[in-house]
Amino acid sequence: MALLNKKKRPDPEIPGSSLADIAFLLLIFFLVTTTINVDTGIGLTLPPIPDENIEPPPIKERNLLNILVNAQGLVLLDETPSSITEVKQKVKDFITNCEPGNPCVENLSEDPTDAIISIKTDRQTPYDIYINMLDEVIGAYNELRDEKARALYGVPFNALEETSEQYQSIAKDVYPKKISIAEPDEGNS
Amino acid sequence: MAHFKKKSANTKQDVPTSAMPDVVFMLLIFFMVTTVLREVELKVQIDYTQAENIEKIEQKRLVSYIYIGPERLGPTQVGESKVQIDDAIVDDINAIRTIMYDKLMEQPRLIVSLRVDRDSDFGLITDVTQELRHAGTLRINYSTKREI
């Protein structure tokens, strides 16, 4: 009798054939819900709040490129109206003025390290116009840095490691990015 | 002449499938680990702008987001531009200063990513960046998509 009972005992194994199906289902769920998105954007470092007791250092008018963008998206570059597409070339001209090989033009910067780009907007200026403007200015800097890196080291600028000496020397000593974002006007338009 | 025996008839033709669950589980675990489930519910509507000269933020741990855009009122209606940090809309602009200061204390290398709707007025964004300057969170990033 005891022997008979033993024979009837069912197989103790868990059926594993459907395991793959279950795993596939879960896999597909995660595949569909996953978004491998990389955060991209324009990086900036804001200036700290200035100390009221310390006078800001004097800046020569010629070293400052004023970009004004109004609420309609019209651009004034040092008091001359221009279009957004011209900005990049004008910014490059402004920065590289007085560099070896370039003639010194009055009213443009004395040296790339002294050049400051100041962007000023109205409060009503749409954000995307402002971003376009910033994009052009940063693009001008990137192109200049790229040219310099190719001339000095024979590699494009973005191929240099951020911690490397070459990168730091171009980013800090040759073409430092000096972008000032002025407080907007109230602008009644 | 005798029949030639088919040689292939002797070998097994099945692909061994016993290791399949392991392979699939491995893939599953990879996706589970890399997945970031959406952590906040957006209360404002954001349509990103595009730019060419953009950079990637590699260290996601350092990033804190500020969302600025028209408030979502219904499925299709939108209201005025509002600022959202984490899960809540911040009505008092001056409160951003303390919120961001607390975040900076937790993570000294904080990067603030500003996710701004393209049609927002720049004035509001300036107010926010002024608050960020007061809070001492100086590294910011204007979130944009790559221009095609």
Side-chain angles (χ1 to χ4, degrees), chain A residues 43 92 95-96 99 112-113 115 137-160 162 166-179, chain B residues 53 55:
Chain A
K92 279 171 85 173
I95 299 166
T96 55
E99 274 206 323
T113 51
V137 174
I138 289 172
Y141 269 108
N142 284 352
E143 279 180 22
L144 287 175
R145 287 177 173 187
D146 199 50
E147 280 168 26
K148 201 71 180 177
R150 280 174 202 274
L152 289 178
Y153 312 113
V155 285
F157 183 67
N158 51 19
L160 295 171
E162 204 166 320
Q166 291 100 321
Y167 182 99
Q168 292 297 333
S169 82
I170 290 181
K172 283 220 174 87
D173 305 330
V174 184
Y175 294 122
K177 227 180 255 176
K178 290 186 181 171
I179 301 170
Chain B
N53 301 287
E55 49 193 67

Side-chain angles (χ1 to χ4, degrees), chain B residues 3-125:
Chain B
H3 274 292
F4 283 111
K5 218 179 187 178
K6 267 189 184 167
K7 270 182 184 165
S8 58
N10 275 339
T11 51
K12 238 184 177 180
Q13 294 228 315
D14 298 348
V15 180
T17 53
S18 60
M20 190 137 86
D22 301 344
V23 175
V24 174
F25 268 117
M26 198 107 104
L27 276 169
L28 178 62
I29 286 161
F30 168 76
F31 276 100
M32 282 178 77
V33 169
T34 53
T35 300
V36 183
L37 293 175
R38 189 153 48 157
E39 62 265 55
V40 289
E41 196 184 327
L42 277 181
K43 291 197 172 72
V44 292
Q45 187 171 308
I46 291 174
D47 181 13
Y48 293 104
T49 66
Q50 296 177 337
E52 277 168 52
N53 301 287
I54 55 177
E55 49 193 67
K56 286 178 191 162
I57 309 177
E58 304 287 353
Q59 299 133 308
K60 269 204 165 179
R61 287 182 300 115
L62 306 180
V63 181
S64 168
Y65 298 101
I66 294 181
Y67 304 91
I68 301 170
E71 188 180 7
R72 277 185 186 153
L73 299 173
T76 51
Q77 301 150 287
V78 287
E80 278 189 45
S81 279
K82 289 280 167 76
V83 180
Q84 182 189 351
I85 299 176
D86 292 337
D87 264 329
I89 282 182
V90 183
D91 281 316
D92 180 16
I93 294 285
N94 292 320
I96 295 173
R97 194 178 303 189
T98 36
I99 297 169
M100 294 320 287
Y101 184 76
D102 290 345
K103 288 190 182 225
L104 185 69
M105 288 298 106
E106 281 172 33
Q107 173 54 264
R109 293 167 65 213
L110 189 77
I111 302 169
V112 181
S113 178
L114 292 166
R115 304 195 143 179
V116 186
D117 187 73
R118 59 187 311 149
D119 294 323
S120 314
D121 285 351
F122 193 64
L124 179 63
I125 296 139

Side-chain angles (χ1 to χ4, degrees), chain B residues 134-146:
Chain B
H134 280 290
T137 47
L138 300 178
R139 282 179 79 186
I140 61 162
N141 187 295
Y142 293 111
S143 200
T144 52
K145 294 265 172 283
R146 179 172 290 282

